[in-house]
Amino acid sequence: MTAPRPISRRRWLTQSAGAIGAAAWAGCDGAGSAANRLRVFNWSAYIADGVLEQFEEETGASVVYDNYSSDAELEARLATGGGGYDVVFPSDRSLPALVAKDRLQPIDQARLANWKHLDPKFLSPPFDVGNRFTVPYFWGTLAVGVRSDHVPEEAAGFEPLFDARYRGRITMLDDPENVIAAVLLHLGLPMNSLDPGHLAQAKELLARQKPLVQAYTSDAYKDRLISGEAWVALGWSGDLLQAADESEEVRVIVPATGTLIWIDSLAIPRAARNVDLAHRFIDFLLRPEIAVKNAEAVYYATPNLTARGQLPAEMRDDPVIFPPPAVLDRCSWLASRGGEIVKVEAVWREVRE
């Protein structure tokens, strides 16, 4: 893999380059009439250079572009109506709360001529049946990164995370839902299970693993893998691919037995000021040649089936970016557990104490 991979939005850190770009674009806030001004709120480094300019040139609109660094930041901004954003990019994990609190308005699919390019596999997900509020943008998986100079080639799943040979060289995400999902999958149990017996097994394994863990971190694992400080890391496919791009010793494993799959979407806030222009922008991003530009820049999997066919072979055929059907069919979405999430959080607290 030779294509450069930018900073992953899944690291949830606002990077200086993204902040500078956002500040420069936000400076256009005074340009153009309100009727032709689009306000966009996106994760940092999550759109290709030149795409916003092209939209402006084609439509005569002015784009006000800001970045956020976490689901919580997006939810807080939408709760107050701050920014008056017209298009946002929520994660699947944030959507149930946003919909329940009436923070989003329905998408008019009839206004999206390029909807036809989307892969049916990524339509009507459980968190938005019928895609009433969302349009798929990028997707990825929960994966394992290993240092091939220390971890045997035959490792093919979550097992290196629990191997005593790597004591003190393992990092886990600082995220109870995703860690416990990975543990349940490793145990051959339903990823979203809240069964007390299943959670007890997960807690026991995590307690046994704890002395092996170097750090619980959701942002530093990539750099630790690259430097060789860590040999095994649970993380997001995009982050781990970046590490593999920077170090030939890093290998990325998408467990063949199945893993967690996530998707980020395009949505229109309830308080949007320019709904018509928002639909035009979403349809623009669904245009295959634009989706190709974004996928090549961000290096995450595009749900745009037509665009995928136009990607360079090294990206299109990468089984980490696009897991084969046999693996993808075994992957699961993270379920919204509502108030019952306290059961997962209780396991996490007991393990981390």
Side-chain angles (χ1 to χ4, degrees):
M1 301 174 194
T2 57
R5 298 186 175 101
I7 297 298
S8 167
R9 134 270 184 282
R10 284 267 156 185
R11 294 182 70 192
W12 290 2
L13 296 175
T14 305
Q15 302 298 315
S16 58
I20 292 170
W25 223 273
C28 299
D29 193 21
S33 66
N36 209 29
R37 185 181 305 137
L38 182 76
R39 292 176 170 82
V40 179
F41 203 28
N42 194 3
W43 301 91
S44 62
Y46 217 36
I47 196 166
D49 291 342
V51 165
L52 298 177
E53 294 95 332
Q54 183 175 340
F55 180 73
E56 288 185 324
E57 290 171 4
E58 291 187 12
T59 62
S62 62
V63 178
V64 180
Y65 186 74
D66 295 324
N67 291 145
Y68 58 93
S69 57
S70 71
D71 286 319
E73 185 179 350
L74 172 62
E75 292 171 23
R77 190 68 66 90
L78 295 185
T80 63
Y85 292 107
D86 302 300
V87 178
V88 294
F89 296 70
S91 70
D92 51 15
R93 185 156 54 172
S94 69
L95 275 169
L98 292 177
V99 171
K101 295 175 181 177
D102 197 30
R103 306 297 187 212
L104 304 176
Q105 60 179 281
I107 295 286
D108 185 355
Q109 295 177 17
R111 299 164 78 173
L112 304 177
N114 290 306
W115 182 271
K116 61 187 178 185
H117 297 294
L118 290 167
D119 189 336
K121 290 181 181 178
F122 299 99
L123 295 178
S124 200
F127 49 83
D128 186 19
V129 176
N131 288 99
R132 186 182 177 199
F133 298 101
T134 63
V135 178
Y137 184 60
F138 278 123
W139 63 275
T141 60
L142 187 64
V144 179
V146 299
R147 292 280 307 194
S148 58
D149 48 347
H150 296 283
V151 179
E153 183 67 28
E154 62 264 22
F158 293 109
E159 64 273 10
L161 296 167
F162 308 98
D163 194 321
R165 290 178 295 174
Y166 312 128
R167 177 183 291 269
R169 298 290 188 171
I170 297 169
T171 69
M172 297 290 283
L173 290 171
D174 188 14
D175 185 312
E177 284 191 276
N178 290 286
V179 168
I180 291 174
V183 172
L184 289 171
L185 287 168
H186 177 65
L187 291 169
L189 299 170
M191 186 187 84
N192 290 301
S193 178
L194 292 172
D195 180 273
H198 294 169
L199 292 179
Q201 290 182 60
K203 184 175 78 171
E204 180 185 0
L205 180 55
L206 282 170
R208 282 192 277 118
Q209 181 211 33
K210 188 174 180 179
L212 311 180
V213 176
Q214 178 187 107
Y216 295 92
T217 173
S218 295
D219 54 17
Y221 61 87
K222 182 185 110 170
D223 293 334
R224 291 179 186 230
L225 273 178
I226 293 169
S227 69
E229 182 181 355
W231 297 349
V232 183
L234 179 68
W236 299 106
S237 53
D239 280 353
L240 296 171
L241 279 167
Q242 291 170 37
D245 192 57
E246 295 187 41
S247 172
E248 62 182 12
E249 302 294 350
V250 176
R251 182 166 64 92
V252 185
I253 301 168
V254 176
T257 53
T259 185
L260 179 153
I261 186 173
W262 57 264
I263 194 165
D264 290 335
S265 301
L266 294 146
I268 301 175
R270 177 65 65 184
R273 300 175 185 174
N274 202 330
V275 175
D276 178 65
L277 197 57
H279 279 88
R280 292 178 68 185
F281 182 65
I282 291 172
D283 197 48
F284 173 78
L285 293 180
L286 292 178
R287 194 187 301 173
E289 63 269 25
I290 301 301
V292 167
K293 285 183 181 180
N294 284 331
E296 288 186 294
V298 176
Y299 232 88
Y300 272 106
T302 176
N304 190 310
L305 193 58
T306 306
R308 178 178 174 178
Q310 298 173 6
L311 288 170
E314 67 168 10
M315 186 173 182
R316 183 180 65 244
D317 300 333
D318 189 328
V320 175
I321 303 173
F322 295 102
V327 174
L328 198 57
D329 288 345
R330 299 187 187 106
C331 293
S332 303
W333 302 102
L334 188 66
S336 173
R337 268 70 70 89
E340 289 197 296
I341 193 62
V342 295
K343 297 178 182 179
V344 173
E345 293 169 344
V347 169
W348 187 246
R349 281 196 306 274
E350 291 178 36
V351 169
R352 294 297 306 276
E353 285 177 353

